[in-house]
């Protein structure tokens, strides 16, 4: 990273962030920890220099920070205060980052616009009549509005990359298992990842490097396996870049996005990359598999919200009534829909046709991506079909689901994916998605830094 | 399309109260998602392979429990001796 | 058709708590009897954002049991989620093993009244326990989650048992096995060894009948009573032309009754637990040494020590008994005599008083000393029984043996006593010489009386016959 912001003064960074935030006109934050941030910054400035000192951190409100409410955007958890802190957050704090507050999101990460938050929508700082995307809309907006240079999001089917695209910031969805999920309120565990959002690739990568690696509290978090291919190439020269031409030619794709992909391919080629066309699996199969598997896991992950040990309870004379009323009142319509859908696709008589089949499709999608990535180091693809839609424009759930058509496949395959903003279309940010083999984040960063520098 | 009986059965399994919801609208929304899922029938499938990573295990060492008062403070109803209280299965 | 033409089919599912210090997926203590919820954390309370991390020791113990029953251990096993709502199930799902358990097959050899019986197992899998719900009088249920997340193995037998006696014998054997292995403490009262029974009836050779699952079997006595009750109930239903309903019934003191409140059709929606990767078998778990198992020991007692199957069964019924027996052998007592004294005299007396071998007032070394003296002829069985009573009363072996005195096996002393008795009974001596040999008993009685019963019986007999021959008129 080129010099810490605010000359490495944590307190100066916090004051600047608070003044940039003002009264949070975009409603990026659900809670701002003014006092805690100032206290922590003062203590940090008195101590030894740390790599991330001077960085203010916005944390998506589905990541636990001990002592701060963690609502996951749900009424059910409106007053839930965890005693534990997410490993990803803990590792950034250990390197000197100061937590500014908790950002808005679609309830439990289920949504693509942050309109499905129980606490009201977030606005896109680039255009206030637009959605910021979701589910990490609050974190994307916090970075785009210049409040902070680092935010944490979570990405299950596009929830970091898609809002990064709509808000014009960098967003990294790491390899599944590269960053600990401890402290992340689970949506769909086999797809959930925690990743950074930042104005630059370098800042996002600094955060990723601080967070990644095994964690004794997450049995699925791990190192890049030994012998899993070469580590990051030292230079863009000769880097094999595949352009997902089928995706970039998809019907309904906004011309600005198509152009962004083409321009990015040119930039990488002129920087010395070896650019060629590749074929990625058709997105509709991945989309279908995702909308079976994610809701199925969600129906189980959200079973713990039963009004017994924490959270809001709606009383009833009998146990069943208490359960049903608590959960119906606590969950918003989108969460309710996905819980019902996931329960249905796992239930006796339907499980083989839906859950079983979707598992098989996921395995085929994963194999197809890996096969494609065996021939190239990076795949260049669109992140979203077009610039940010207007608030309230998309009312049918399925229309919203289709915003994630290009981000879901890499999620199913467990791959790292980096969104890099490259310009604007219709006055709104556009960019591209870089995909790599598992644990190839450094390679993605190499190509991403070329793209954000502009040119050719 | 999910018929109403199936929807009610699923809602019971999921402990979601359907009272006050527009069931026709809900069935319509779920139906459109199920239409999306029809792509599964046409798609290629593979046997689910094995994960190559090896899971790390935990040593059998007691970690002192979190302060009980903090954990219980989050609960909607707790008895004097520290048990969570819920309504009976049958009132 | 007669009632006896029904075949009883029983399969048992045993939940056995593993002897670990901490829970299966978190670092909370598994100690029994703590204040409600005092042994919980965000993980076992199912808080948002926390994850399970598997306890290596639980797997090591489970693998130990699997090896002891000769089960097949696949290189990889998989955890699944079993989804259902209940207040004592904090996450709304139980992490268990479903399609790919860590152990398949295996068998447990049981000895029932001297007959060997091999019970095949279907599988053993690892899973977490639920908490405890107590239904109070105030319309509320109290939930204590100290037990939630405790490591269990579920041992599932094939439906191969044919009577409540076989079922009880299998359970006793299994409990003995887990205790011998150090895998579980096997306490039924504390719930660390629990049993559900699947019971059905059929005509011999017919396909399996509809089965009923019996729960709440908290002691071996209840297991027998509940199965006997259930067999009688099903037989009555079937013989009246009715059909047995597949259901879960609870043992409630004298009867089984349908379990209420869980009418909700169970659809557990199993799927692989995405928070855990597949569990890979480690070679170190296969290397660790197993102690001699009850079945092996039983075979050794029969084959090498020459004991009867029945005696071997009694002596291996629990580890305290076999340890007592082994200690007697180590003290120099012979196996058959030791088995006899332990199984009949000592255990008979302990049973009468409702005590177990581990609470015996007689030490194995003392009982062995007594057995050694009966074997070398220094104690007659009559004297030995007297000495045993003294041991039971708390005397040491030395004191007890000294008090009853040793057998008179000194030839001179015996010959003197014989001469006295023969001299005082000339008529009986004449009768003997006339061919009436049964008077020998009369002489022995007199000699024993003269020596307060301590005469060595065999030597006395021999010397007496010699003395009578010497007196035969020529
Ligand atoms: Zn715990």
């Amino acid at each position: 990273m080129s010099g810490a912001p605010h000359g490495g003064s944590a307190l100066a960074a916090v004051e600047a962030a608070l003044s940039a935030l003002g009264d949070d006109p975009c409603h990026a934050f659900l809670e701002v920890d003014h006092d805690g941030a100032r206290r922590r910054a003062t203590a940090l400035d008195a101590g030894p220099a740390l790599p991330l000192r001077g960085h203010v951190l916005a944390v998506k409100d589905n990541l636990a920070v001990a002592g701060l409410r963690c609502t996951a955007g749900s009424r059910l958890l409106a007053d839930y205060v965890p005693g534990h802190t997410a490993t990803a957050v803990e590792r950034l704090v250990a390197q000197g980052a100061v937590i500014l507050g908790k950002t808005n999101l679609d309830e439990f990460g289920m949504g693509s616009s942050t309109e499905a938050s129980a606490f009201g929508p977030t606005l896109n700082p680039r255009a206030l009549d637009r959605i910021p995307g979701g589910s990490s809309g609050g974190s994307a907006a916090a970075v785009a509005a210049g409040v902070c240079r680092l935010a944490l999001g979570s990405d299950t089917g596009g929830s970091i990359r898609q809002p990064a695209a709509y808000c014009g910031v960098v967003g990294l969805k790491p390899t599944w298992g590269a960053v600990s999920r401890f402290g992340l309120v689970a949506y769909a565990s086999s797809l959930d990842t925690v990743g950074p959002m930042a104005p630059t690739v370098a800042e996002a990568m600094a955060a990723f490097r601080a967070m990644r690696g095994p964690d004794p509290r997450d049995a699925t978090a791990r190192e890049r396996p030994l012998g899993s291919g070469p580590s990051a190439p030292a230079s863009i020269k000769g880097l094999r870049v595949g352009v997902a031409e089928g995706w970039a030619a998809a019907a309904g794709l906004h011309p600005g996005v198509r152009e962004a992909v083409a321009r990015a391919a040119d930039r990488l080629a002129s920087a010395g990359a070896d650019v060629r066309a590749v074929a990625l699996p058709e997105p509709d199969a991945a989309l279908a598999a995702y909308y079976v598997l994610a809701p199925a896991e969600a129906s189980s992950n959200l079973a713990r919200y039963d009004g017994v040990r924490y959270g809001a309870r709606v009383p009833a004379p009998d146990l069943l009534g208490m359960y049903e009323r608590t959960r119906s009142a606590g969950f918003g319509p989108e969460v309710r829909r996905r819980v019902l859908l996931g329960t249905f696709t796992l239930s006796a008589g339907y499980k083989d046709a839906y859950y079983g089949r979707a598992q098989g499709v996921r395995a085929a999608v994963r194999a197809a991506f890996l096969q494609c990535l065996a021939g190239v180091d990076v795949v260049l693809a669109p992140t979203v079909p077009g610039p940010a839609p207007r608030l309230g424009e998309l009312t049918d759930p399925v229309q919203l689901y289709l915003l994630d058509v290009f981000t879901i496949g890499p999620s199913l395959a467990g791959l790292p994916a980096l969104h890099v903003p490259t310009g604007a279309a219709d006055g709104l940010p556009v960019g591209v998605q870089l995909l790599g083999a598992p644990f190839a984040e450094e390679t993605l960063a190499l190509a991403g830094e070329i793209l954000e520098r502009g040119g050719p | 399309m999910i018929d109403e009986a199936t929807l009610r059965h699923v809602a019971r399994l999921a402990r979601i109260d359907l009272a006050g919801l527009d069931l026709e609208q809900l069935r319509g929304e779920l139906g459109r998602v199920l239409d999306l899922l029809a792509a599964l029938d046409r798609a290629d499938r593979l046997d689910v392979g094995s994960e190559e990573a090896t899971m790390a295990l935990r040593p059998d060492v007691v970690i002192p429990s979190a302060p009980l008062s903090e954990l219980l403070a989050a609960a909607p109803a707790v008895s004097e001796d520290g048990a969570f209280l819920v309504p009976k299965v049958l009132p | 058709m007669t009632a006896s033409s029904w075949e009883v089919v029983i399969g048992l599912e045993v939940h056995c708590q593993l002897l670990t210090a901490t829970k299966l997926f978190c670092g909370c203590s598994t100690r029994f009897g703590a204040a409600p919820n005092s042994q919980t954390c965000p993980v076992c309370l199912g808080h948002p954002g926390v994850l399970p991390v598997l306890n290596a020791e639980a797997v090591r113990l489970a693998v130990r049991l699997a090896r002891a029953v000769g089960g097949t251990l696949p290189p990889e096993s998989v955890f699944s989620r079993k989804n259902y709502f209940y207040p004592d199930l904090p996450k709304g799902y139980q992490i268990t093993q479903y399609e790919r358990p860590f152990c398949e097959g295996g068998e447990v050899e049981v000895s029932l009244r001297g007959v060997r019986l091999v019970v095949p197992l279907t599988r053993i899998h690892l899973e977490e326990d639920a908490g405890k719900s107590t239904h109070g009088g105030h319309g509320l249920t109290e939930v204590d989650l100290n037990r939630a997340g405790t490591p269990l193995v579920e041992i599932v037998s094939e439906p191969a048992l044919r009577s409540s006696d076989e079922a009880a014998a299998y359970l006793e054997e299994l409990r003995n096995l887990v205790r011998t292995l150090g895998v579980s403490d096997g306490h039924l009262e504390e719930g660390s060894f629990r049993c559900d029974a699947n019971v059905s009836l059929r005509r011999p050779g017919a396909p399996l009948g509809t089965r009923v699952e019996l729960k709440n079997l908290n002691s071996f006595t209840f297991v027998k009573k509940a199965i006997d009750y259930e067999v009688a109930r099903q037989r009555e239903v079937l013989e009246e032309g009715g059909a047995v309903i597949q259901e879960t019934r609870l043992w409630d003191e004298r009867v089984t009754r349908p379990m209420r409140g869980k009418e909700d059709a169970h659809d557990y929606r199993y799927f692989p637990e995405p928070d855990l990767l597949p569990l890979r078998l480690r070679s170190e778990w296969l290397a660790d040494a197993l102690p001699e198992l009850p079945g092996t020991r039983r075979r050794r007692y029969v084959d090498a020590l020459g004991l009867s199957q029945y005696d071997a069964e009694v002596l291996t019924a629990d580890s305290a008994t076999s340890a007592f027996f082994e200690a007697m052998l180590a003290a120099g007592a012979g196996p058959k005599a030791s088995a006899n004294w332990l199984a009949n005299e000592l255990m008979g007396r302990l049973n009468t008083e409702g005590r177990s071998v581990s609470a015996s007032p007689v030490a194995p070394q003392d009982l062995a000393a007594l057995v050694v003296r009966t074997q070398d002829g220094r104690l007659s069985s009559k004297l030995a029984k007297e000495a045993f009573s003294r041991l039971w009363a708390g005397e040491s072996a030395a004191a007890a043996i000294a008090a009853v005195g040793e057998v008179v096996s000194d030839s001179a002393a015996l010959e003197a006593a014989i001469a006295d008795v023969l001299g005082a009974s000339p008529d009986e001596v004449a009768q003997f010489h006339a061919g009436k040999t049964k008077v020998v008993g009369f002489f022995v009685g007199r000699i024993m009386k003269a020596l307060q019963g301590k005469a060595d019986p065999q030597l006395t007999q021999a010397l007496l016959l010699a003395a009578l021959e010497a007196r035969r008129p020529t």
Side-chain angles (χ1 to χ4, degrees):
Chain A
M1 206 178 314
S2 53
H6 307 283
S9 162
L11 191 58
V14 168
E15 295 303 344
L18 289 172
S19 104
L21 176 66
D23 61 356
D24 192 12
C26 294
H27 191 226
F29 285 82
L30 293 177
E31 181 165 13
V32 177
D33 186 20
H34 301 84
D35 297 343
R38 287 192 172 111
R39 229 182 4 254
R40 160 96 178 133
T42 307
L44 267 175
D45 286 340
L50 290 168
L52 289 179
R53 193 169 76 184
H55 265 287
V56 167
L57 177 66
V59 179
K60 186 178 181 178
D61 203 25
N62 61 355
L63 286 159
V65 175
L68 293 185
R69 270 198 302 268
C70 185
T71 68
S74 180
R75 241 193 314 274
L76 212 145
L77 292 179
D79 296 313
Y80 175 70
V81 180
H84 56 281
T85 297
T87 300
V89 174
E90 209 168 71
R91 290 182 179 175
L92 293 180
V93 166
Q95 297 225 356
V98 174
I99 298 163
L100 184 66
K102 306 295 291 289
T103 59
N104 200 8
L105 69 159
D106 290 297
E107 186 177 3
F108 291 109
M110 297 182 203
S112 305
S113 68
T114 314
E115 292 167 301
S117 164
F119 307 107
T122 294
L123 313 183
N124 190 325
R126 310 282 187 197
L128 295 177
D129 63 334
R130 303 280 168 160
I131 60 167
S135 61
S136 312
S139 284
V143 174
V147 174
C148 52
R149 300 188 65 83
L150 197 54
L152 282 181
S154 66
D155 189 318
T156 305
S159 282
I160 286 175
R161 293 160 285 163
Q162 186 255 37
Y166 290 159
C167 292
V169 303
V170 171
L172 172 66
K173 173 216 138 16
T175 308
W176 188 80
V179 175
S180 168
R181 289 181 291 121
F182 178 81
L184 170 67
V185 178
Y187 158 24
S189 314
S190 76
L191 296 152
D192 288 344
T193 56
V194 177
M197 306 171 91
T200 64
V201 171
E203 285 162 300
M205 287 304 290
F208 169 69
R209 290 182 197 118
M211 295 188 292
R212 73 179 168 199
D215 176 9
R217 294 178 296 182
D218 177 357
T220 64
R222 57 199 197 273
E223 291 289 3
R224 177 175 192 272
L226 293 171
S228 66
S231 50
S235 148
I236 191 75
K237 300 268 184 276
L239 191 79
R240 297 167 303 164
V241 175
V243 180
E245 294 217 317
W247 285 18
L253 193 70
H254 190 281
V257 174
R258 190 172 302 136
E259 209 176 297
V261 173
R263 268 206 317 270
D266 290 346
R267 280 183 206 166
L268 292 171
S270 51
D274 169 8
V275 178
R276 66 191 78 173
V278 292
L280 289 183
E282 289 299 322
D284 58 337
L287 195 72
Y290 178 87
Y291 277 101
V292 172
L293 300 176
E297 291 183 25
S299 72
S300 174
N301 281 331
L302 271 59
R304 68 188 60 198
Y305 307 116
D306 58 4
V308 176
R309 299 162 314 284
Y310 52 81
R313 171 191 292 186
V314 180
D318 68 317
L319 182 67
L320 180 66
M322 189 277 278
Y323 277 153
E324 292 194 341
R325 288 183 207 172
T326 294
R327 290 166 59 77
S328 236
F331 294 153
E334 182 59 24
V335 170
R336 221 158 36 213
R337 262 195 300 274
R338 292 200 199 185
V339 167
L340 289 171
L341 180 67
T343 305
F344 171 69
T345 55
L346 277 176
S347 66
Y350 299 98
K351 189 174 149 186
D352 292 345
Y354 287 107
Y355 184 83
R357 209 169 275 193
Q359 285 274 63
V361 171
R362 180 179 188 175
V365 166
R366 183 181 163 81
F369 270 103
L370 292 178
Q371 195 191 350
C372 175
L373 283 160
V376 292
D377 300 306
V378 174
V379 170
L380 178 62
T383 309
V384 283
R390 289 193 169 74
L391 280 161
E393 179 183 335
L394 304 176
T395 49
D396 185 75
V398 173
Q399 287 180 304
L400 279 159
Y401 296 176
L402 292 171
L403 299 181
D404 296 328
V405 67
F406 301 125
T407 48
I408 274 173
S411 286
L412 281 183
L415 306 178
L418 177 70
H419 172 81
V420 184
T422 56
D426 302 345
L428 294 167
V430 289
V432 296
Q433 179 177 215
L434 298 168
L435 310 175
F439 296 95
E441 284 84 356
E442 296 291 347
T443 310
L444 302 186
L446 187 70
E449 289 197 297
I450 301 288
L451 295 181
E452 71 182 351
R453 252 178 252 146
Chain B
M1 199 72 161
I2 296 182
D3 62 48
E4 192 176 316
T6 306
L7 179 59
R8 288 191 182 282
H9 169 70
V10 167
R12 167 58 58 88
L13 277 178
R15 299 294 188 270
I16 300 269
D17 187 8
L18 293 179
L21 298 183
D22 182 340
L23 294 194
E24 280 315 297
Q25 188 192 332
L26 186 55
R27 285 177 56 216
E29 287 162 351
L30 291 173
R32 283 198 293 287
V33 183
L34 292 182
D35 291 344
L36 195 73
L37 305 190
L40 291 176
D41 302 337
R42 307 184 294 270
D44 292 339
R45 294 202 294 273
L46 280 180
D47 286 341
V48 180
S50 186
E51 177 66 49
E52 61 271 23
T54 294
M55 177 167 64
L57 306 185
R58 183 175 62 79
D60 188 27
V61 177
V62 173
I63 300 167
S65 297
L68 184 59
S69 54
E70 265 176 40
L71 292 173
L72 295 182
V78 180
S79 76
E80 268 177 32
D81 63 349
F84 298 111
L85 291 174
V86 294
K88 279 190 175 181
V89 172
L90 299 172
Chain C
M1 249 185 233
T2 63
S4 59
S5 66
W6 292 102
E7 184 180 42
V8 177
V9 178
I10 303 162
L12 297 181
E13 292 169 6
V14 174
H15 288 90
C16 175
Q17 180 180 333
L18 297 169
L19 266 179
T20 55
T22 66
K23 294 185 179 181
L24 189 55
F25 297 115
C26 65
C28 289
S29 167
T30 53
R31 197 168 51 86
F32 180 79
N37 295 311
S38 61
Q39 288 173 178
T40 61
C41 71
V43 175
C44 56
L45 290 181
H47 274 239
V50 293
L51 297 167
V53 182
L54 182 60
N55 182 342
E57 177 66 3
V59 187
R60 188 186 72 83
L61 293 175
V63 168
R64 221 169 137 74
L65 173 61
R67 288 166 61 212
V69 299
T72 303
L73 292 154
E76 209 174 83
S77 62
V78 171
F79 286 93
S80 291
R81 291 186 183 178
K82 178 181 183 178
N83 296 284
Y84 66 95
F85 285 90
Y86 207 68
D88 62 19
L89 188 71
K91 299 185 294 297
Y93 54 85
Q94 178 196 30
I95 305 179
T96 178
Q97 295 189 308
Y98 182 58
E99 283 173 335
R100 295 174 63 191
F102 80 96
C103 170
E104 288 161 352
E107 60 184 39
V108 173
E109 188 189 295
V110 176
S111 186
L112 176 58
R113 290 189 287 269
V115 179
R116 282 163 64 163
L117 170 73
V118 172
V119 181
L121 302 182
T122 311
R123 58 188 275 159
I124 307 177
H125 64 254
L126 269 162
E127 65 184 25
E128 57 177 343
D129 205 347
K132 206 176 78 185
S133 302
T134 314
H135 305 291
H138 39 29
L140 294 171
T141 297
E142 300 195 352
V143 184
D144 172 11
L145 298 174
N146 281 347
R147 210 180 62 191
T150 296
L152 303 177
V153 278
E154 180 174 338
I155 305 147
V156 183
S157 85
E158 290 282 291
L161 298 156
R162 293 291 173 265
S163 68
S164 61
D165 281 347
E166 289 187 8
Y170 163 76
L171 285 176
E172 302 246 21
E173 181 71 22
L174 199 56
R175 185 171 70 152
N176 188 10
L177 183 66
V178 296
R179 285 179 165 175
T180 305
L181 288 165
V183 158
S184 173
D185 62 20
H187 286 317
L188 276 77
E189 331 66 76
E190 295 178 5
S192 60
F193 192 87
R194 307 196 293 269
C195 171
D196 300 334
N198 290 308
V199 179
S200 63
L201 298 189
R202 67 172 171 189
R203 296 295 184 192
L208 290 175
T210 306
R211 69 194 166 94
V212 166
E213 187 180 18
L214 301 180
K215 285 187 179 285
N216 206 24
L217 311 176
N218 299 331
S219 76
F220 293 138
T221 316
F222 288 174
V223 170
K224 284 178 75 161
K225 284 184 175 170
I227 291 174
D228 287 341
Y229 178 90
E230 184 58 22
V231 166
R233 189 190 71 85
Q234 290 186 21
R235 181 177 289 155
E236 201 176 307
V237 169
L238 293 169
E239 284 176 357
E240 283 170 2
V244 172
I245 305 163
Q246 182 163 354
E247 61 181 345
T248 300
R249 297 175 72 92
L250 290 179
W251 174 246
D252 188 8
E253 296 191 14
R254 342 181 53 90
V255 297
T256 65
R257 55 173 178 77
M259 194 161 154
R260 284 168 38 156
K262 291 204 174 176
E263 297 88 350
D264 187 22
H266 273 321
D267 179 353
Y268 292 124
R269 291 160 282 136
Y270 286 97
F271 70 94
E273 165 58 283
D275 287 332
L276 297 168
L277 301 175
L279 171 61
R280 294 240 164 86
L281 199 59
R282 291 185 183 170
S283 53
E284 72 211 52
W285 294 328
L286 302 175
D288 111 58
L290 298 180
E292 186 181 40
L293 304 175
T296 319
R297 182 173 291 161
R298 209 157 42 224
R299 248 169 280 135
R300 177 167 64 85
Y301 286 0
V302 172
D303 298 345
L305 301 183
L307 302 188
S308 69
Q309 178 73 24
Y310 184 85
D311 280 347
E313 176 185 324
V314 172
L315 296 177
T316 55
D318 58 66
S319 47
T321 307
S322 44
F324 196 106
F325 178 65
E326 299 281 337
M328 288 181 71
L329 299 188
K336 284 190 182 174
S338 293
N340 194 32
W341 275 92
L342 171 53
N344 297 327
E345 295 303 325
L346 180 59
M347 291 175 74
R349 194 115 176 211
L350 287 167
N351 284 343
T352 318
E353 300 200 359
R355 292 159 81 171
S356 70
V357 171
S358 52
S360 166
V362 180
Q365 291 72 16
D366 286 341
L367 188 58
L370 191 149
V371 169
V372 166
R373 277 175 171 70
T374 62
Q375 284 177 301
D376 66 14
R378 283 183 285 163
L379 276 184
S380 65
S381 64
K382 179 170 171 293
L383 288 180
K385 283 185 182 170
E386 271 179 52
F388 176 77
S389 291
R390 290 173 173 274
L391 289 185
W392 182 267
E395 284 183 27
S396 70
I401 291 163
V404 300
E406 292 203 350
V407 164
V408 178
S409 51
D410 168 19
S411 303
L414 286 173
E415 277 168 350
I418 290 165
D420 286 352
V421 169
L422 297 186
S425 318
D427 293 350
E428 286 77 8
V429 172
Q431 283 172 17
F432 177 84
H433 289 140
K436 204 174 171 191
T437 51
K438 69 177 182 185
V439 292
V440 167
F442 164 80
F443 294 128
V444 170
R446 286 291 173 93
I447 297 160
M448 279 292 179
K449 197 172 175 188
L451 293 171
Q452 293 89 46
K454 291 171 193 166
D456 180 319
Q458 281 164 2
L459 191 56
T460 303
Q461 180 96 358
L463 292 173
L464 172 64
L465 292 176
L468 284 167
E469 286 310 315
R471 281 170 173 74
R472 189 180 288 277
T474 46

